[in-house]
Amino acid sequence: MLRFWLIKLLRTVVTLWLVVTFAFIVLRTSGDPVVALLGADARPDEVEYFRRLWGLDQPLIVQYLNYIVQMATGQFGMSLRDHRAVIDIIAERLPATVELGLTAFAIAAIIGIPAGIIAALRRGGVLDRLIMTIAVFGFALPNFFLGILMILLFSLTLRILPSSGTGTWQHLVMPSITLATFTAGSLARFTRSSMLEVLEKPYMRAAAAKGASFSRRVLFHAFPNAAIPIVTVIGLNLGQLVAGAIVVETVFAWPGIGRLLVVAVSQRDLAVVQGLVLVIAATMVMANLLVDLLYGLLDPRIREAST
Amino acid sequence: MIRQRPNIIVVLASIILAVAVGVALIGNVFTPHAVTDQALLSRLKPPSWMEGGEAAFPLGTDRIGRDMVARLVAGLQMSLSVALLGTLIGAVFGTTIGFIAAHFRGWVEEILMMVVDFQASLPFILIALTLLAFFGNSMVLFIILMGMFGWETYARLARGVVLSARAQPYARAIVALGANPGRLYLRHVLPNVASALIVQVTLTFPQIILLETSLSFLGLGIQPPNTSLGQILGDGRDYLSTAWWISVWPGLAIFLITLSMSILGDALRDRLDPMLKTRTT
């Protein structure tokens, strides 16, 4: 048990180290880091000051170790555009993204998981086909196009929802549904196949023979067993959600970190880009660690198999 | 999802893809306008069947009076060729890395697989945005980025297959006969992985289309004067209230292509990979 957790923890640390190393390599190979982070129009004395401050006169290995310490402590530098600490800007934008992400995730789970269960129970039937067809559509529909179609329909034609911005719950409706679509589709597909596997297990027949009612068999015997692999898919979907948020926030002018990232990339505000990438990557890696641990907790077989 | 004979949906998906490729290849015959032709008197014209539309522009015009048909054809050409190139680069590169990892084992394998795990742990759009921000956008970098997408899946796949193939008698017999590793992998192992790789290609291709169109939509991908479906869609965003067609046509094209490719990929997987079929049905 302890060994299982230690291995997972070690892997997480290695991945975080790789992320920081990746950022360091990109920063150093793409040009002068001082010019990159301060901008080409920085004064020579400023450049000189930061060169010494960041220890760029030191050997590369010392610079690398310093860089790791700086990034680990959240010293991402200053934004070129508004001359504030990157960490403050990110902290300011983060709540909006968390709000959008959690809402989207809740919608995806509430729709996707029951849809998958129903499809599995009605395997091969009309309902199954219908649900799976919708799921495939949800997969293939690019989120930016879905967002635009919703704006055309609900904002410009029916005029019942605001097309951009934030503030009221109406502002949250379209971005969160757009963001949820892909995740709902993948949850539905995965829940279905996971349930189908479980429904054929001998213990399901045993439960039926015992006289357990249909709903009891589905909810208390089948679903908890099917839920175990679903937890992993939820972990994998976090990446999709982050990637989706980058696009969806831009479509709906939602003031979160996704939009911040797109603006920073297009303005080449590199300190902000670097800080955001590290924060997002670290969050995702930690979330995956949590999922892994939860997975091991839910299913003792996993712990045994991976040690 | 058992499909013994090609069903109507798979046939439909194939037709849509064939039409898309056909339009990209010979699309210029559909319209007398060049993609750069501007008709400033015919700006933001709706499709010809709508009120105010002009017969010369069947799908309407954009903000500087360029013909939507011509732009869609150009965008389709760009999106398809970038995705095709990206898919090929990723497949070849990833498979090679997988073979190398499995051949050398030891620390080479460890390092390569560490990079594979690293890339798999982050959404690719994040890596792409970082590289675009630091190195600046150029067509070469953009195509390399598309090629970097998904290579880790091929690497894992190829490594796993080589490892299991090497334990098989046929591989040992070939080595005993004096074949060098290159011959073993290319002539004997590769044909055995081919079906799994082809399935993977059909899964990666629509994802690369979505990646390219997303980045271009955000204004961070294909840059004017070049155009792609995503870029036209992004262009039309500012004109949603007056000219919906600028955004809707390219969006519809992207949707139909990715949908058809996914359907074909699923069908292909069911056919080529009986193991997966029993698991997912």
Side-chain angles (χ1 to χ4, degrees):
Chain A
M1 184 74 173
L2 189 66
R3 182 141 176 250
F4 169 76
W5 283 356
L6 278 179
I7 290 175
K8 292 290 175 203
L9 199 65
L10 191 71
R11 281 200 147 181
T12 306
V13 173
V14 169
T15 311
L16 284 176
W17 168 67
L18 282 173
V19 170
V20 177
T21 307
F22 167 72
F24 182 78
I25 294 173
V26 169
L27 184 62
R28 286 308 141 93
T29 50
S30 61
D32 189 333
V34 178
V35 177
L37 296 183
L38 289 184
D41 51 352
R43 293 200 312 275
D45 57 317
E46 263 181 352
V47 171
E48 199 48 46
Y49 173 72
F50 276 100
R51 205 174 284 283
R52 204 157 317 130
L53 184 73
W54 291 342
L56 293 178
D57 41 358
Q58 311 256 332
L60 201 62
I61 180 76
V62 179
Q63 291 182 32
Y64 174 58
L65 294 176
N66 282 339
Y67 182 78
I68 292 183
V69 173
Q70 280 174 2
M71 294 305 122
T73 50
Q75 300 170 49
F76 300 130
M78 308 284 275
S79 161
L80 272 184
R81 301 293 146 180
D82 52 7
H83 302 285
R84 291 165 54 211
V86 169
I87 190 85
D88 292 341
I89 302 177
I90 295 178
E92 189 181 288
R93 296 289 202 101
L94 203 54
T97 298
V98 172
E99 182 191 0
L100 177 62
L102 286 180
T103 313
F105 189 76
I107 294 174
I110 290 171
I111 294 174
I113 294 178
I117 295 177
I118 292 169
L121 295 176
R122 294 271 177 278
R123 178 183 183 178
V126 177
L127 213 51
D128 181 21
R129 275 157 195 265
L130 186 70
I131 288 172
M132 284 304 109
T133 307
I134 295 173
V136 171
F137 273 58
F139 258 177
L141 195 61
N143 46 19
F144 49 88
F145 186 43
L146 177 62
I148 286 205
L149 288 181
M150 297 229 293
I151 290 177
L152 280 173
L153 181 62
F154 295 109
S155 301
L156 296 172
T157 309
L158 300 176
R159 298 180 183 279
I160 49 174
L161 287 170
S163 68
S164 65
T166 174
T168 64
W169 65 266
Q170 285 99 327
H171 286 96
L172 192 56
V173 175
M174 289 199 295
S176 54
I177 290 177
T178 307
L179 190 54
T181 306
F182 185 92
T183 311
S186 91
L187 276 180
R189 264 169 88 136
F190 201 83
T191 305
R192 176 180 179 273
S193 68
S194 185
M195 278 296 282
L196 284 178
E197 212 164 295
V198 169
L199 287 173
E200 285 168 6
K201 289 276 158 70
Y203 56 71
M204 289 308 296
R205 253 178 292 140
K210 230 167 50 177
S213 70
F214 177 73
S215 59
R216 187 177 168 78
R217 290 202 306 271
V218 170
L219 291 178
F220 293 96
H221 292 89
F223 184 65
N225 283 296
I228 295 166
I230 297 174
V231 171
T232 320
V233 175
I234 288 174
L236 292 176
N237 267 307
L238 191 73
Q240 289 294 346
L241 220 53
V242 169
I246 292 172
V247 175
V248 171
E249 285 183 5
T250 305
V251 173
F252 293 101
W254 186 262
I257 56 170
R259 188 162 133 82
L260 179 65
L261 180 61
V262 170
V263 172
V265 170
S266 65
Q267 299 180 334
R268 301 196 72 187
D269 192 345
L270 299 178
V272 175
V273 175
Q274 171 190 270
L276 273 173
V277 168
L278 289 172
V279 167
I280 295 173
T283 316
M284 286 196 49
V285 171
M286 298 311 275
N288 275 321
L289 175 70
L290 271 180
V291 168
D292 269 350
L293 297 182
L294 195 63
Y295 201 32
L297 218 56
L298 285 174
D299 190 347
R301 285 168 303 183
I302 309 290
R303 295 199 290 270
E304 299 307 321
S306 64
T307 48
Chain B
M1 275 190 245
I2 302 166
R3 297 195 187 97
Q4 298 300 344
R5 57 198 160 77
N7 68 22
I8 181 88
I9 294 174
V10 176
V11 172
L12 220 68
S14 316
I15 293 174
I16 290 174
L17 278 180
V19 167
V21 172
V23 168
L25 287 176
I26 53 155
N28 297 335
V29 303
F30 293 109
T31 174
H33 312 280
V35 63
T36 47
D37 281 356
Q38 302 176 10
L40 291 179
L41 289 176
S42 307
R43 278 173 298 179
L44 300 176
K45 285 287 172 208
S48 56
W49 65 84
M50 284 174 60
E51 197 181 328
E54 290 177 16
F57 306 106
L59 294 182
T61 62
D62 72 357
R63 72 194 141 87
I64 46 177
R66 288 177 293 189
D67 176 37
M68 281 306 293
V69 177
R71 293 208 74 199
L72 285 170
V73 169
L76 196 63
Q77 284 168 347
M78 179 62 82
S79 289
L80 284 182
S81 41
V82 165
L84 199 64
L85 212 56
T87 311
L88 279 179
I89 296 174
V92 171
F93 178 70
T95 310
T96 313
I97 294 288
F99 281 175
I100 291 174
H103 178 70
F104 288 103
R105 308 300 310 262
W107 62 269
V108 175
E109 185 182 30
E110 289 292 327
I111 289 178
L112 289 176
M113 286 302 119
M114 211 161 75
V115 179
V116 164
D117 284 345
F118 164 71
Q119 180 156 349
S121 69
L122 292 180
F124 186 73
I125 195 166
L126 209 58
I127 299 175
L129 286 177
T130 312
L131 294 176
L132 285 172
F134 277 87
F135 291 98
N137 197 343
S138 69
M139 199 63 190
V140 175
L141 174 69
F142 194 68
I143 288 174
I144 292 175
L145 279 179
M146 297 300 118
M148 278 171 68
F149 177 87
W151 69 270
E152 79 275 8
T153 332
Y154 296 102
R156 277 184 179 158
L157 207 68
R159 172 179 163 272
V161 171
V162 171
L163 287 183
S164 65
R166 283 218 308 211
Q168 307 238 342
Y170 83 87
R172 262 178 284 152
I174 292 159
V175 174
L177 283 170
N180 65 15
R183 190 181 164 85
L184 170 68
Y185 295 137
L186 291 182
R187 292 290 303 275
H188 300 282
V189 177
L190 196 59
N192 285 305
V193 254
S195 65
L197 287 177
I198 290 170
V199 169
Q200 192 54 43
V201 163
T202 61
L203 297 177
T204 318
F205 187 80
Q207 289 174 317
I208 293 190
I209 294 248
L210 285 182
L211 179 69
E212 180 270 312
T213 47
S214 298
L215 286 172
S216 300
F217 170 78
L218 295 174
L220 305 171
I222 302 288
Q223 301 291 331
N226 289 319
T227 189
S228 92
L229 292 177
Q231 197 225 343
I232 303 174
L233 213 171
D235 242 17
R237 251 185 81 202
D238 298 333
Y239 300 89
L240 279 184
S241 54
T242 46
W244 55 266
W245 50 92
I246 304 177
S247 287
V248 170
W249 300 141
L252 216 54
I254 299 167
F255 173 55
L256 286 177
I257 291 171
T258 48
L259 182 67
S260 308
M261 202 69 198
S262 306
I263 290 170
L264 272 189
D266 275 355
L268 207 60
R269 187 184 56 188
D270 289 352
R271 177 150 307 185
L272 293 178
D273 198 345
M275 288 292 290
L276 267 173
K277 183 159 83 182
T278 49
R279 248 193 40 216
T280 52
T281 47

